[in-house]
């Protein structure tokens, strides 16, 4: 009898614990649902979250904290304190603004909060060896400071070469800062950072002050710093698609040739890149880097460049706004190159409209995947494009990783942003915009060479896909908002 009473008492106690846990889960789910209603941008996505939170609070509430809870008000505050709004005035004082080009592209200028800056020299760097030869030569020239930022930094042959060159400059008295993304560089060993710090180099992960287990911490997992920036003395900068790893040199047997593009700019645009780095560094470390504009800015060329930094701290999805606008302005050709093509409804509609206007719309994508789930979703979106008459070209000479857009003979972009929701709304990205005829011609010639290494996907191929393949691609497509 005593045993039965003990058992029943224990059962009741355990049920109370279960009830308390479930109650807390529903409270958390309710808080998440209320917040989703208040910050909703699309009714479809919000309704999906709210239904899932109501019907299955576990594990949906925790998934929402990771993928749905956007909490970068502190970054926006740091950005305001850094005086981003005052940058056009600084550029005007230094007589660097290209007013005519800025007026011609008002959406891109307002999104960037910095105008087109004149006086730059631009060199397009094709593939990894040309890119890192140029970056390493620039690092060796540094006299005052080096700002280095990559999404991925590996401790392999290329990573060690980068470390050795940075250490050499630090020993020469150059101030060196290295910023990496914690998620992208999860494999970086502690000893890699230690050797740099022992040489006097300041090293930080983007989430250094915002650890996973702290309050709001889980929301950071989904929001990553995808920028690739190298700045030497505020006079020259490198931006593009490459990270630090031997695969970017084409030395990984799994991928073979790695097709990617970087750009080297010398002139005032380098200051724009350094200001983005400073914002990221302050948010990551709490350390404020000097940002006073120099008395004199070298202007080695005659090209105008717009430096656009976008991310989840933006008041609106400004990266998507900038690209939607430029797609809508295309009249003759619109060539898009991206390893990941998972567009939202607005981008898809803009692409369909461009095709209906008679624009030569071509989208170049990899022929083989590196991330299977994204690749499957990309196939679904690409197949829909083909059904609307948009040309899809699959690159076959290795893995395609470059992020390039060419619109008519008017404007071109090179940067870190992919054509997917993650780049447009979730990740921190950087894009350089060019309007001069010489750079546009160089981008055109580069892409024409790339198209010769592609096969165009036909409507017959789309219609011949097996039912299981269509099911998998459509199922992956449902995850588009977080891919």
């Amino acid at each position: 009898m005593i045993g039965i009473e003990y058992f029943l008492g224990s059962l009741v106690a355990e049920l109370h614990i279960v009830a308390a846990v479930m109650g807390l889960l529903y409270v958390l789910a309710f808080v998440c649902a209320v917040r989703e209603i208040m910050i909703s941008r699309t009714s479809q996505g919000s309704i999906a979250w709210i239904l899932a939170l109501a019907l299955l609070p576990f594990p949906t509430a925790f998934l929402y904290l990771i993928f749905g809870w956007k909490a970068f008000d502190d970054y926006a505050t740091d950005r305001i304190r850094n005086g981003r709004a005052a940058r056009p005035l600084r550029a005007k004082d230094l007589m660097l603004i290209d007013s005519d080009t800025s007026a011609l592209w008002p959406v891109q200028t307002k999104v960037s909060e910095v105008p087109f800056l004149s006086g730059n020299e631009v060199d397009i760097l094709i593939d990894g060896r040309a890119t890192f030869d140029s970056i390493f030569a620039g690092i060796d020239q540094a006299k005052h400071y080096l700002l280095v930022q990559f999404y991925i930094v590996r401790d392999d042959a290329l990573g060690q070469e980068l470390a050795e060159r940075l250490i050499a400059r630090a020993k020469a008295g150059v101030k060196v800062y290295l910023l990496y993304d914690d998620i992208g560089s999860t494999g970086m060993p502690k000893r890699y950072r230690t050797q740099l710090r022992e040489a006097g180099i300041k090293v930080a992960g983007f989430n250094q002050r915002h650890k996973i287990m702290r309050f709001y911490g889980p929301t950071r997992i989904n929001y990553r710093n995808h920028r690739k920036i190298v700045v030497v003395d505020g006079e020259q900068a490198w931006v593009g698609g490459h990270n630090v790893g031997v695969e970017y040199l084409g030395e990984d047997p799994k991928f073979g040739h790695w097709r990617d593009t970087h750009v080297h700019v010398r002139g005032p645009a380098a200051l724009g890149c350094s200001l983005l780095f400073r914002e990221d560094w302050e948010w990551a470390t709490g350390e404020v880097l000097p940002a006073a504009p120099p008395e004199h800015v070298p202007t080695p060329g005659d090209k105008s460049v717009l430096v656009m930094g976008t991310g989840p701290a933006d008041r609106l999805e400004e990266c998507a706004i900038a690209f939607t606008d430029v797609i809508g302005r295309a009249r003759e050709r619109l060539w898009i190159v991206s390893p990941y093509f998972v567009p939202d409804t607005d981008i898809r509609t803009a692409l369909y409209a461009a095709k209906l206007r008679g624009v030569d719309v071509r989208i170049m994508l990899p022929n083989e995947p590196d991330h299977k789930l994204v690749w499957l979703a990309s196939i679904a979106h690409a197949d829909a494009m083909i059904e609307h008459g948009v040309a899809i070209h699959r690159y076959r000479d290795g893995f395609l990783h470059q992020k390039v857009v060419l619109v008519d003979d008017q404007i071109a972009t090179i940067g870190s942003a992919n054509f997917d929701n993650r780049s447009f709304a979730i990740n921190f990205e950087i894009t350089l915009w060019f309007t001069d005829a010489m750079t546009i011609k160089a981008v055109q010639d580069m892409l024409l060479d790339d198209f010769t290494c592609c096969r165009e996907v036909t409507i017959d191929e789309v219609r011949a896909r097996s039912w299981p393949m269509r099911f998998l691609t459509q199922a992956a497509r449902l995850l588009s908002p977080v891919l």
Side-chain angles (χ1 to χ4, degrees):
M1 188 70 177
I2 296 175
I4 295 175
E5 290 177 352
Y6 176 79
F7 172 76
L8 291 175
S10 299
L11 181 61
V12 169
E14 290 177 0
L15 288 175
H16 285 163
I17 294 173
V18 171
V21 171
M22 290 302 298
L24 290 173
L25 278 174
Y26 272 101
V27 170
L28 177 59
F30 177 77
V31 171
C32 292
V34 170
R35 192 175 193 282
E36 179 60 28
I37 291 171
M38 297 303 295
I39 67 167
S40 173
R41 286 182 174 174
T42 64
S43 58
Q44 301 97 318
S46 295
I47 289 171
W49 274 119
I50 292 167
L51 286 175
L53 287 165
L55 298 175
L56 197 65
F58 178 82
T60 308
F62 297 103
L63 292 174
Y64 184 85
L65 289 177
I66 296 172
F67 296 108
W69 194 300
K70 178 182 172 182
F72 275 93
D73 293 342
D74 48 355
Y75 187 99
T77 301
D78 287 346
R79 189 166 63 184
I80 293 170
R81 186 170 58 250
N82 271 317
R84 178 180 280 208
R87 291 178 188 174
L89 296 177
R90 296 179 184 177
K92 185 177 181 180
D93 291 340
L94 294 169
M95 295 182 292
L96 301 173
I97 295 178
D98 183 343
S99 300
D100 292 339
T101 303
S102 297
L104 186 61
W105 302 96
V107 172
Q108 289 69 32
T109 300
K110 290 178 180 178
V111 164
S112 302
E113 298 184 63
V114 178
F116 276 87
L117 301 178
S118 58
N120 298 281
E121 190 56 63
V122 177
D123 295 308
I124 294 176
L125 304 169
I126 298 176
D127 289 343
R129 182 47 61 193
T131 295
F132 284 100
D133 284 349
S134 179
I135 289 175
F136 290 157
I139 288 173
D140 293 344
Q141 297 168 11
K143 298 177 181 178
H144 306 293
Y145 66 86
L146 276 166
L147 311 177
V148 181
Q149 177 176 2
F150 286 98
Y151 175 64
I152 297 172
V153 178
R154 300 199 193 283
D155 182 25
D156 57 14
L158 185 62
Q160 280 300 322
E161 184 174 0
L162 173 66
E164 290 168 5
R165 290 178 184 270
L166 294 181
I167 290 171
R169 298 320 298 152
K171 290 181 177 179
V174 176
K175 295 181 179 179
V176 183
Y177 303 84
L178 173 63
L179 182 63
Y180 61 91
D181 185 81
D182 306 77
I183 303 300
S185 301
T186 50
M188 180 193 293
K190 183 178 180 180
R191 57 182 170 77
Y192 185 88
R193 300 187 294 274
T194 299
Q195 67 174 334
L196 295 172
R197 288 174 176 144
E198 288 178 348
I201 296 171
K202 294 192 175 183
V203 183
F206 187 60
N207 283 309
Q208 180 164 299
R209 286 199 301 155
H210 309 270
K211 300 299 184 182
I212 298 301
M213 296 308 294
R214 294 180 184 173
F215 189 59
Y216 282 164
T219 68
R220 311 294 185 181
I221 298 175
N222 194 39
Y223 299 96
R224 305 164 193 173
N225 197 312
H226 195 239
R227 293 170 181 160
K228 295 92 174 169
I229 302 172
V230 176
V231 180
V232 174
D233 295 334
E235 297 180 356
Q236 51 183 332
W238 290 260
V239 170
H242 288 92
N243 288 294
V244 180
V246 295
E247 67 268 35
Y248 293 87
L249 300 177
E251 296 178 3
D252 187 328
K254 176 183 176 181
F255 296 105
H257 174 224
W258 189 281
R259 178 68 190 91
D260 218 329
T261 299
H262 238 67
V263 62
H264 176 206
V265 294
R266 291 181 292 123
L271 287 176
C273 296
S274 68
L275 288 170
L276 286 178
F277 180 95
R278 293 172 196 276
E279 289 178 353
D280 289 347
W281 184 266
E282 179 174 348
W283 187 83
T285 68
E287 178 185 3
V288 179
L289 299 183
E295 294 181 1
H296 172 71
V297 178
T299 53
D302 59 357
K303 299 176 177 63
S304 292
V305 179
L306 181 71
V307 179
M308 177 184 293
T310 54
D314 297 340
R315 185 171 58 88
L316 301 172
E317 292 180 358
E318 294 176 352
C319 187
I321 291 171
F323 280 99
T324 302
D325 174 75
V326 82
I327 292 170
R329 294 182 60 172
R331 291 297 177 266
E332 296 177 1
R333 68 177 172 189
L334 172 62
W335 296 353
I336 297 170
V337 188
S338 176
Y340 315 116
F341 182 70
V342 190
D344 64 11
T345 301
D346 292 339
I347 294 291
R348 292 197 304 270
T349 301
L351 290 170
Y352 296 154
K355 182 60 184 178
L356 291 173
R357 288 196 305 274
V359 177
D360 172 22
V361 183
R362 306 185 198 178
I363 300 172
M364 189 187 307
L365 306 173
N367 195 52
E368 301 295 334
D370 66 334
H371 300 295
K372 287 290 182 66
L373 189 59
V374 181
W375 184 66
L376 288 170
S378 178
I379 290 175
H381 286 286
D383 286 355
M385 289 288 143
I386 294 169
E387 292 173 350
H388 285 78
V390 174
I392 299 294
H393 296 259
R394 294 283 182 182
Y395 188 82
R396 296 184 294 180
D397 186 19
F399 182 70
L400 181 77
H401 192 254
Q402 62 177 323
K403 305 93 165 49
V404 179
V405 175
L406 177 62
V407 179
D408 299 337
D409 291 323
Q410 301 300 313
I411 199 165
T413 73
I414 298 173
S416 66
N418 299 304
F419 245 71
D420 59 11
N421 186 64
R422 174 162 292 281
S423 283
F424 286 170
I426 299 176
N427 285 346
F428 290 87
E429 304 284 2
I430 181 171
T431 304
L432 301 190
W433 299 70
F434 310 94
T435 58
D436 66 279
M438 186 177 296
T439 301
I440 288 173
K441 178 66 162 57
V443 171
Q444 169 192 280
D445 293 345
M446 175 184 73
L447 296 186
L448 286 174
D449 286 342
D450 290 335
F451 279 122
T452 64
C453 299
C454 296
R455 66 177 184 87
E456 184 173 354
V457 182
T458 65
I459 188 64
D460 290 338
E461 179 180 338
V462 172
R463 292 170 178 169
R465 296 201 193 283
S466 65
W467 186 90
M469 185 62 175
R470 289 200 304 273
F471 176 82
L472 288 174
T473 58
Q474 291 300 322
R477 184 172 179 263
L478 296 177
L479 298 174
S480 294
V482 297
L483 292 179

